[in-house]
Amino acid sequence: MIIIFQALFSIFVLFVLSTIVQKKKQGLLGKKGFLFWVVFWMIALLAVFWPESMSQLASFMGIGRGVDVVIYSALVIIFFLLFHLHIKIESIGRDITFLTREMALMDEKKNSKL
Amino acid sequence: MLLAVVPAYNEEERIACVIKKLQDHVDHIVVIDDASKDNTVKVARLAGATVLEHKINRGQGAALETGHEYARLVGAEYILHFDGDDQMHPEDIAPALAHMKEQKALVLFGSRLLDGRSTLPWFKRMILLPIGKMINFLFVRAHLSDVHNGFRLFHAQVLAVMVIEQDRMAHATEIPAKVIALNLPYVEFPIKVTYHEYGQSARGGFTILKDLLFSKFIS
């Protein structure tokens, strides 16, 4: 059973990695983002192929089970990404405001002697 | 030149009245229409104001900064923030400007609480304003008698150094915070507000708090 899951997960990670490389080539992903996602999926792969590695990490960190380490880490990462996304959206909002303002003033300049 | 900056969103019923009343008290009026769905633009133009049109709704803070940008372009000496919903009274403008000049201040904040002329709804007066005041103190570090009052006067020198970055309602906290951070002399002045609608809700207050917190992380 675990073998089937490992095989499916490997295919999925390969697909994700190819997408990451593609995005990097297209310039949609920066150096830091590229590195973050490659390392992230490598760690995920490590956890799936060697579940004991997570148990070792768990006992090192004083957490009961390996699976708990994965859940806690996933939660922290998800919260961080949500926060990051929110900031990004706000920042894009400000760019949109800037453009909206420029357009409003440009129209006025056209219509008057400004 | 005293320029009135009037942000407006869906104010077709009241904007003409506001412009007509303002005309005797200021030199020029610029209405910033924040992508209204009604005929605000047409009505405001017919009433004699210059109208700048936001193609997308960006919020009151964004509209005010568009007005500031216009003021910089036309070289206005004094800039007035005045609401487009006919709740403020233009008779307050001349004494406010005189007081600002007399006190040698560069900024004037209108206050509904310095005299008894404004009748605030109970929930707003007893609950929202005290909470708003506390939050304002945390971010602004100054005791202003009235939080989030839309009546403000600025000298052009202020616009040369201050840019409003909060697009939505948090600009009302951002402005005094920047005035204090930049060490600009300011005064408060009693103004009258007559309520037609309730205005800022408790939910709006949470949005302001969220905007203020997140803005700390935006470069």
Side-chain angles (χ1 to χ4, degrees):
Chain A
M1 195 65 176
I2 191 92
I3 303 294
I4 294 171
F5 177 69
Q6 283 171 340
L8 287 173
F9 193 80
S10 307
I11 293 165
F12 177 69
V13 170
L14 273 176
F15 167 72
V16 173
L17 284 176
S18 73
T19 312
I20 292 168
V21 171
Q22 219 175 348
K23 297 269 181 225
K24 172 85 171 68
K25 274 185 186 165
Q26 288 169 351
L28 296 170
L29 201 62
K31 242 183 196 172
K32 272 188 205 166
F34 176 75
L35 210 68
F36 171 81
W37 286 115
V38 169
V39 171
F40 176 83
W41 287 107
M42 287 302 170
I43 292 171
L45 213 57
L46 182 86
V48 168
F49 274 90
W50 292 278
E52 0 18 292
S53 64
M54 288 298 117
S55 300
Q56 279 165 10
L57 186 64
S59 62
F60 173 74
M61 292 174 81
I63 299 170
R65 298 177 305 165
V67 71
D68 291 341
V69 173
V70 176
I71 291 168
Y72 296 159
S73 312
L75 269 177
V76 169
I77 290 165
I78 286 167
F79 274 120
F80 170 74
L81 288 178
L82 268 177
F83 175 75
H84 188 71
L85 268 177
H86 195 96
I87 300 293
K88 193 83 191 163
I89 290 167
E90 285 293 319
S91 165
I92 290 168
R94 288 192 181 184
D95 292 342
I96 291 171
T97 300
F98 175 77
L99 288 176
T100 308
R101 180 170 299 133
E102 287 299 303
M103 282 170 75
L105 289 163
M106 216 142 62
D107 286 349
E108 179 55 25
K109 279 176 192 167
K110 261 188 228 162
N111 298 330
S112 70
K113 286 172 257 168
L114 259 180
Chain B
M1 184 217 288
L2 170 58
L3 172 75
V5 172
V6 184
Y9 178 67
N10 293 343
E11 295 288 1
E12 67 176 3
E13 283 175 23
R14 296 197 172 114
I15 197 74
C17 181
V18 173
I19 293 165
K20 294 281 177 211
K21 283 185 192 171
L22 269 175
Q23 272 161 351
D24 295 333
H25 300 270
V26 300
D27 301 313
H28 193 73
I29 303 161
V30 61
V31 171
I32 296 89
D33 175 70
D34 204 17
S36 293
K37 292 183 180 79
D38 62 7
N39 289 315
T40 303
V41 172
K42 209 173 150 189
V43 175
R45 278 208 179 110
L46 275 173
T50 297
V51 182
L52 302 179
E53 285 179 75
H54 278 185
K55 304 279 186 222
I56 312 169
N57 182 271
R58 299 307 304 151
Q60 199 184 62
L64 287 170
E65 182 52 33
T66 301
H68 282 193
E69 196 57 42
Y70 179 79
R72 290 179 193 111
L73 284 170
V74 297
E77 191 186 2
Y78 289 97
I79 299 93
L80 166 77
H81 288 182
F82 202 85
D83 286 353
D85 53 9
D86 200 23
Q87 296 192 148
M88 291 171 175
H89 297 264
E91 297 76 33
D92 285 325
I93 298 168
L97 188 62
H99 181 70
M100 186 173 145
K101 286 178 181 170
E102 193 186 296
Q103 298 293 314
K104 294 189 170 52
L106 293 177
V107 184
L108 178 139
F109 294 108
S111 171
R112 295 162 288 185
L113 302 168
L114 293 178
D115 61 13
R117 290 183 297 152
S118 303
T119 45
L120 276 83
W122 179 88
F123 189 69
K124 202 182 240 297
R125 193 177 69 241
M126 303 303 284
I127 311 287
L128 290 185
L129 270 176
I131 294 172
K133 243 176 138 174
M134 254 165 55
I135 292 170
N136 229 33
F137 184 72
L138 281 175
F139 283 91
V140 178
R141 297 278 161 206
H143 282 295
L144 285 174
S145 69
D146 193 3
V147 187
H148 288 231
N149 189 308
F151 186 105
R152 302 178 195 93
L153 267 168
F154 301 95
H155 188 272
Q157 285 176 36
V158 179
L159 268 60
V161 290
M162 187 189 80
V163 174
I164 302 172
E165 291 172 301
Q166 289 288 348
D167 285 349
R168 293 176 285 260
M169 296 310 288
H171 70 275
T173 303
E174 182 198 8
I175 292 170
K178 285 193 168 166
V179 164
I180 285 157
L182 293 164
N183 221 4
L184 301 167
Y186 69 91
V187 282
E188 282 195 286
F189 191 77
I191 61 134
K192 186 181 174 187
V193 175
T194 311
Y195 282 91
H196 305 305
E197 279 162 12
Y198 190 76
Q200 197 71 246
S201 66
R203 196 179 157 194
F206 283 114
T207 310
I208 290 169
L209 192 58
K210 186 209 82 183
D211 284 349
L212 289 170
L213 287 171
F214 276 111
S215 70
K216 304 264 177 212
F217 299 94
I218 301 172
S219 54

